[in-house]
Amino acid sequence: MEVWSGTPYPLGATYDGSGTNFAIFSEVATRVELCLFQDAGTELRIPLESVDAFVWHCYLPHVLPGQMYGFRVHGPYDPSQGLRCNPAKLLMDPYAKALAGDIRWDQAMFSYNFGDPASLNSTDSAPFTMRSVVISPFFDWQGDKRPGIPYSDSLIYEAHVKGLTKLHPDVPEEQRGTYAGMAHPAIIEHLLKLGVTAVELMPVHQFVNDSQLQSRGLANYWGYSTIGFLAPHNGYSSTHEPGLQVQEFKAMVRSLHSAGIEVILDVVYNHTAEGNHLGPTLSFKGIDNRAFYRLAEDPQFYADYTGTGNTVNVRHPHALQLLMDSLRYWVTDMHVDGFRFDLAATLAREFYDVDRLASFFDLVQQDPVVSQVKLIAEPWDVGPGGYQVGNFPPLWTEWNGKYRDAVRDFWRGAPATLGEFASRLAGSADLYESSGRRPVASVNFVTAHDGFTLRDLVSYNEKHNEANGESNMDGESYNRSWNCGHEGATDDEAILALRARQQRNFIATLMLSQGVPMLLHGDELSRSQLGNNNAYCQDSDLTWVDWEGADLPLVEFTSAVSRLRQRHPTFRRNRFFQGRPVERGVGDPLPDIVWLNLDGSPMLPSNWDEELARAIAVFYNGGGIGKDSRGRPIEDVNFLLCFNSNSHSATFTLPGEEYSPEWELVLDTAGVLVEESRHAAGEQLAVSEKSVIILRAYLPPTSHPDRSAAASVAMLTSGRSAARRLLADTVNLQSLQTSGHSPGPPGLFL
């Protein structure tokens, strides 16, 4: 085969329409071989004789997309010094844009002989490992444009490519569990019904199924075991042609974008699938172990801040380059709209402590591509000082774990939770305002993939992870959950009704909190994992969304509350509440927010410390929200939200006429059917146990000066149809029922 010298950049395999350039970094290598494979498994080894700045490279004319390849790296093997080169092991390209096949676990996949970690195993691993694949970079994007949705207008839906689509009856069998399935019109229609603006896909970088899980008949379902930072996982492709998963992924993004839905990737840059010193040699470990991994004081071992055996060495320039090249590739070539960084605190560890100004964050800040997409941190890891909620740089948003905990505690009736709940509902200014960030820095969630589903959160006090084969020792034991009086499945109608109400309480709270709401896939369908709160290894109907058994009233409720949030910028503020009066041109100015006691009086400092206080109301002023993209003030109607987490009803006195002479009931999660939805200022209103009611300042169709302003804002932010809905009177539930329409669960007045 004709071999040209090629170039040291770009790294990886780059097809230019005529041939392919190959380049790989290794500072410790003494020799590197490029290995090309035919379908029959025949291997052709080509020595890379050109080396520039420790990058080994060549160019092969006429090598086309679909070509499978790997590397063999010769060099020192001395685990005691952190050196693990072994040419007997075929290595995956760190920059591979596609991988083919699966790993078959065998002794050959390890560089040592079992029982003797210091020994050298020279068995060829090629028959048992995956192949890197040359891909075509060309794709017809058909004028694709990123939706570019502001954080304040975003509703994120955390989804698993396989779990969401595997059982959907309208998705063709061959597309279920794949990228093509995610792009199917039935899935997109459901997302649009919920008002979803972004899907946050659980790991789609190429990952590995662990040998220990496979030996127990389980699988790495979640995918947090990455081995290819630029390659879409081949197991989610509906085609079996090597490399075509790239085209299918791009087609998925194109379809979601055409529906106005962004794509955010959950990325795992903190560790890889190679594990600790007893793990396999798949790629980085055999290329340049000391460059890619953080080693312990004794270099035969690995620093582990992730709980997975190893930690990527973000202090090394080539490891940092790999991460940044990967991020840029997914934005520029794959058109994704953002990233959620798994265990992001690990990326901030320069030496030992978490460093907010770590090199990785400096690089992201100055990068003209990566800095312009959505960047979401999971702000913790398992190392010392790893819980860093609120401490990430201003460019970043964060999964707000404190929001999750506070909302769960409030609705299960834990004592002394009122103040924390109020802070989280209002946007967590205590966490983000001092660093110059906005309420949207808080990605609010009640449930996520890691933990109970929403239905299980209200059905189980304890985890039930026996199916994982770890004697129920895995997973979080303190879930802040409440089973509503019975553990697990029950036929008790009262308990089932209470659980349904609690689910509505959580969804309403999430949707109407300041910040960015994130909904876990299937929660709107009342999906259960039978109490398993650590289903990372369950690739089965335990974790797949059961569309046939969907709770359709809960879907309608979720959709309606989402629409309420979309229509009203009051719930999507782009700056924090200040508690200061807002001039609106009518009457004396009212503060932008007022917390109210049951008697309608403003909360006093002493009220927040009452241990058994479990009911509160909050007034949201429709003025002082901020300005739109053209610099015009955003105006909305006033709202009053009443929360009661007591196990008994609570009577709220509506505040005085200065807040609003009259209120109209918009939502009641308790499902209380009422004939009259309008209530006068000062009126007493009973709020059922464990429920939320939402009231909107009543605006007569023509006489109220705020009516036209509110309609104008609605047309600007949500379109003319939304403006018409805003101007319409509250829908009477009973008339909908008699007309044969199903508006959702009782108490929904939207």
Side-chain angles (χ1 to χ4, degrees):
M1 178 175 288
E2 187 177 2
V3 180
W4 300 356
S5 62
T7 60
Y9 190 84
L11 291 162
T14 306
Y15 175 68
D16 62 7
S18 299
T20 303
N21 190 83
F22 295 88
I24 182 173
F25 160 80
S26 177
E27 187 172 354
V28 298
T30 58
R31 182 185 175 203
V32 176
E33 294 174 303
L34 170 66
C35 306
L36 303 181
F37 292 87
Q38 304 303 319
D39 292 338
T42 304
E43 178 180 349
L44 173 63
R45 300 187 185 185
I46 302 171
L48 301 184
E49 298 179 348
S50 298
V51 187
D52 292 285
F54 305 115
V55 176
W56 306 70
H57 55 90
C58 76
Y59 180 90
L60 301 182
H62 313 303
V63 166
L64 305 176
Q67 174 66 59
M68 292 183 285
Y69 70 99
F71 294 103
R72 296 184 186 273
V73 175
H74 300 253
Y77 183 81
D78 185 356
S80 68
Q81 297 301 312
L83 300 168
R84 297 181 178 272
C85 297
N86 186 349
K89 310 306 170 186
L90 182 72
L91 304 175
M92 292 174 242
D93 181 1
Y95 278 80
K97 297 180 178 66
L99 289 153
D102 296 302
I103 289 177
R104 291 188 295 132
W105 291 109
D106 185 88
Q107 166 74 81
M109 295 302 300
F110 299 80
S111 282
Y112 65 94
N113 298 303
F114 292 160
D116 185 7
S119 63
L120 175 64
N121 180 283
S122 298
T123 307
D124 186 7
S125 68
F128 305 97
T129 193
M130 289 187 282
R131 309 277 197 268
S132 304
V133 183
V134 177
I135 65 109
S136 170
F138 308 114
F139 180 76
D140 183 7
W141 282 102
Q142 299 176 2
D144 175 68
K145 290 184 64 177
R146 294 189 179 86
I149 299 169
Y151 274 119
S152 58
D153 296 340
S154 295
L155 169 57
I156 298 173
Y157 190 78
E158 189 190 26
H160 188 285
V161 169
K162 185 173 185 178
L164 182 64
T165 64
K166 182 64 177 177
L167 299 180
H168 200 295
D170 295 333
V171 175
E173 181 70 32
E174 66 275 9
Q175 293 183 4
R176 296 178 186 177
T178 70
Y179 305 120
M182 275 296 303
H184 191 273
I187 298 296
I188 291 177
E189 179 183 3
H190 180 73
L191 296 174
L192 293 176
K193 179 181 180 66
L194 297 175
V196 169
T197 66
V199 288
E200 182 177 299
L201 300 180
M202 290 179 65
V204 296
H205 288 176
Q206 184 70 51
F207 61 84
V208 171
N209 276 311
D210 308 15
S211 60
Q212 293 184 354
L213 291 177
Q214 287 191 3
S215 67
R216 305 204 310 265
L218 302 172
N220 182 7
Y221 173 66
W222 283 353
Y224 290 95
S225 192
T226 303
I227 198 60
F229 291 129
L230 286 85
H233 184 62
N234 57 15
Y236 297 153
S237 176
S238 62
T239 177
H240 301 292
E241 292 295 322
L244 290 189
Q245 62 263 42
V246 177
Q247 309 295 315
E248 186 174 339
F249 183 93
K250 290 179 177 179
M252 175 195 71
V253 173
R254 185 180 62 194
S255 295
L256 289 167
H257 279 183
S258 67
I261 298 173
E262 296 181 317
V263 178
I264 299 171
L265 302 188
D266 188 342
V267 290
V268 188
Y269 291 119
N270 56 79
H271 71 277
T272 79
E274 291 187 299
N276 62 15
H277 63 290
L278 299 179
T281 299
L282 307 175
S283 179
F284 309 95
K285 190 177 286 187
I287 294 171
D288 197 325
N289 188 57
R290 295 193 298 197
F292 287 110
Y293 294 117
R294 294 192 65 165
L295 303 183
E297 186 175 345
D298 181 347
Q300 68 180 305
F301 302 112
Y302 294 83
D304 183 10
Y305 299 117
T306 64
T308 62
N310 66 51
T311 303
V312 172
N313 185 11
V314 292
R315 293 180 296 172
H316 193 281
H318 279 276
L320 273 174
Q321 180 186 8
L322 172 61
L323 269 56
M324 295 305 300
D325 286 348
S326 169
L327 291 169
R328 277 189 294 269
Y329 173 76
W330 286 99
V331 174
T332 58
D333 286 56
M334 307 294 265
H335 286 208
V336 305
D337 305 280
F339 306 94
R340 177 265 187 190
F341 292 80
D342 176 65
L343 301 182
T346 300
L347 301 173
R349 290 184 182 273
E350 283 283 345
F351 293 97
Y352 176 79
D353 295 326
V354 175
D355 182 358
R356 180 173 155 180
L357 301 177
S359 299
F360 174 73
F361 297 100
D362 291 342
L363 289 174
V364 169
Q365 178 74 40
Q366 60 80 43
D367 191 280
V369 173
V370 180
S371 64
Q372 300 306 303
V373 300
K374 288 183 169 66
L375 302 171
I376 305 170
E378 182 186 33
W380 49 77
D381 65 14
V382 301
Y387 193 75
Q388 293 291 319
V389 173
N391 291 330
F392 275 70
L395 186 67
W396 292 68
T397 60
E398 302 175 16
W399 270 25
N400 191 345
K402 292 186 177 182
Y403 177 94
R404 172 200 60 204
D405 297 345
V407 172
R408 288 187 180 192
D409 279 343
F410 177 79
W411 282 117
R412 70 189 177 100
T417 59
L418 202 60
E420 180 82 1
F421 173 77
S423 178
R424 303 302 154 232
L425 184 74
S428 297
D430 58 320
L431 298 177
Y432 304 112
E433 188 172 24
S434 63
S435 60
R437 289 189 277 178
R438 301 293 182 96
V440 294
S442 178
V443 175
N444 300 326
F445 66 105
V446 175
T447 57
H449 67 273
D450 188 359
F452 283 144
T453 66
L454 185 61
R455 178 176 169 183
D456 289 354
L457 185 67
V458 301
S459 304
Y460 295 91
N461 284 350
E462 309 294 337
K463 63 184 180 182
H464 296 271
N465 299 351
E466 290 81 5
N468 296 354
E470 300 178 40
S471 303
N472 205 32
M473 299 297 291
D474 62 304
E476 176 60 58
S477 296
Y478 183 47
N479 295 282
R480 293 180 162 90
S481 61
W482 179 47
N483 64 18
C484 297
H486 180 85
E487 188 74 357
T490 180
D491 295 326
D492 189 308
E493 292 295 333
I495 291 177
L496 292 174
L498 178 57
R499 288 177 178 176
R501 183 187 307 179
Q502 284 285 76
Q503 290 182 79
R504 295 195 292 270
N505 289 337
F506 280 120
I507 288 174
T509 303
L510 175 67
M511 292 293 186
L512 303 180
S513 295
Q514 303 299 327
V516 182
M518 185 186 78
L519 186 68
L520 172 63
H521 81 190
D523 274 356
E524 77 283 3
L525 306 169
S526 198
R527 180 177 73 93
S528 175
Q529 293 177 170
L530 304 181
N532 191 319
N533 74 350
N534 190 35
Y536 75 102
C537 56
Q538 298 294 331
D539 188 1
S540 66
D541 55 7
L542 179 69
T543 51
W544 302 338
V545 172
D546 177 14
W547 292 91
E548 297 286 357
D551 183 342
L552 297 182
L554 186 59
V555 174
E556 295 299 327
F557 178 86
T558 305
S559 176
V561 181
S562 174
R563 289 197 303 272
L564 178 65
R565 179 179 182 273
Q566 289 174 338
R567 295 177 200 167
H568 290 285
T570 293
F571 303 110
R572 299 180 282 105
R573 295 175 60 92
N574 57 21
R575 59 184 180 181
F576 287 107
F577 292 110
Q578 298 297 317
R580 301 193 187 106
V582 177
E583 293 284 353
R584 301 192 69 182
V586 179
D588 294 331
L590 292 170
D592 54 8
I593 186 171
V594 182
W595 298 98
L596 300 168
N597 282 302
L598 292 179
D599 62 3
S601 64
M603 289 279 287
L604 300 174
S606 59
N607 299 142
W608 295 108
D609 298 327
E610 296 176 9
E611 184 176 358
L612 298 180
R614 297 192 179 104
I616 194 171
V618 58
F619 165 79
Y620 284 167
N621 194 324
I625 295 172
K627 296 183 178 181
D628 64 16
S629 60
R630 298 183 184 180
R632 297 170 298 189
I634 298 173
E635 294 287 331
D636 195 9
V637 293
N638 297 337
F639 277 88
L640 185 68
L641 288 66
C642 302
F643 299 87
N644 180 22
S645 69
N646 287 292
S647 57
H648 55 80
S649 65
T651 300
F652 285 82
T653 299
L654 300 183
E657 290 191 1
E658 65 272 22
Y659 291 89
S660 177
E662 197 170 17
W663 298 92
E664 54 185 337
L665 184 63
V666 174
L667 177 146
D668 181 357
T669 61
V672 177
L673 181 61
V674 294
E675 294 182 0
E676 180 55 62
S677 63
R678 285 163 53 184
H679 304 273
E683 181 179 331
Q684 289 189 329
L685 190 63
V687 178
S688 301
E689 68 276 9
K690 300 290 184 185
S691 68
V692 185
I693 65 168
I694 309 297
L695 300 121
R696 178 174 55 201
Y698 177 67
L699 302 179
T702 58
S703 62
H704 200 290
D706 280 352
R707 175 65 76 177
S708 60
S712 298
V713 171
M715 283 189 283
L716 286 171
T717 58
S718 305
R720 293 183 181 273
S721 60
R724 287 196 294 271
R725 289 194 296 270
L726 176 65
L727 293 173
D729 290 333
T730 302
V731 174
N732 183 281
L733 179 67
Q734 195 156 15
S735 67
L736 281 175
Q737 291 176 328
T738 56
S739 66
H741 297 287
S742 176
L748 187 61
F749 298 93
L750 300 174

